[in-house]
Amino acid sequence: MSNELLVLVVGGVAVFAGAVVQGSVGFGLGLVAAPVLALLDPGIMPGAIQVVNLTMPLFTLAAEWRRVDWRGVGFALLGRLPGSAIGAVIVVYVSVYTLGVFVGVMVLVAVALTARALSVPRTGATVAAAGFVSGITGTATGIGGPPIALVYQGAKGPEIRATLAMFFSVSAAQALVILALVDHLPARALTTGAVLVVPMVLGFVVSGPVRRYLDGGRVRAAVLAVAGISAVVLIAQSLAV
């Protein structure tokens, strides 16, 4: 099996699984698929996963756009702008793996604190700060969901999914533009990402029953679990290189 076919098959399975998670909780596609794609073909990352990140939220918004917290999205994007610029510098000049370990540890600490009933206040400042961190990690590694999700963990399922979807769609488009400007977006990354949209759509369809189950009062636990797993995956991926 050629490496290109291996990327599409194994990477497609990872994208499918990630889409089931994100379709259910509101984030998680990057944490499942990005490490797999990076191991299979580092040359297509983070561009390929950003193509999928751009497309996936559109399906969520088609169903739940009325639940978007527009004020929160505005603050998150305000923080994301400078964060993305730093992420681009990291892609070009700094080891993203060092960043991965640092961010992973910070997310684990945040999950541990919030799991013990420490509430993260959802204010303009905290949402903007989460957007800033998400901008750095999302642009550099393709995993930018946990910071925003932790701030919104107390919201209801539809609001979390819709708000994160709007944030992710704009963020992914911004990341693709920045990656192109710094010459880190090869055509191969775009074509691979476009093909991986197919298993992403299938994963979103499968996520429907899981989504309804979590909306019965289990969303916060799911958010914390996915954020914690994403941190462990990010640390493991960074240390393995």
Side-chain angles (χ1 to χ4, degrees), residues 62-141:
E64 299 181 311
W65 65 270
R66 294 177 182 83
R67 303 303 300 271
V68 174
D69 174 15
W70 293 102
R71 179 177 179 274
V73 169
F75 278 110
L77 292 175
L78 185 66
R80 166 107 191 176
L81 287 171
S84 295
I86 295 175
V89 172
I90 291 171
V91 167
V92 178
Y93 297 109
V94 183
S95 168
V96 298
Y97 307 109
T98 301
L99 171 72
V101 173
F102 176 75
V103 172
V105 171
M106 291 300 99
V107 171
L108 282 178
V109 170
V111 168
L113 291 175
T114 54
R116 295 179 65 85
L118 177 64
S119 176
V120 179
R122 196 199 319 170
T123 65
T126 58
V127 175
F132 175 75
V133 176
S134 178
I136 297 174
T137 61
T139 302
T141 69

Side-chain angles (χ1 to χ4, degrees), residues 174-201:
Q174 181 189 83
L176 287 170
V177 170
I178 290 175
L179 290 171
L181 291 175
V182 297
D183 198 26
H184 275 68
L185 186 63
R188 190 161 52 89
L190 294 174
T191 55
T192 301
V195 174
L196 291 174
V197 168
V198 176
M200 178 275 293
V201 174

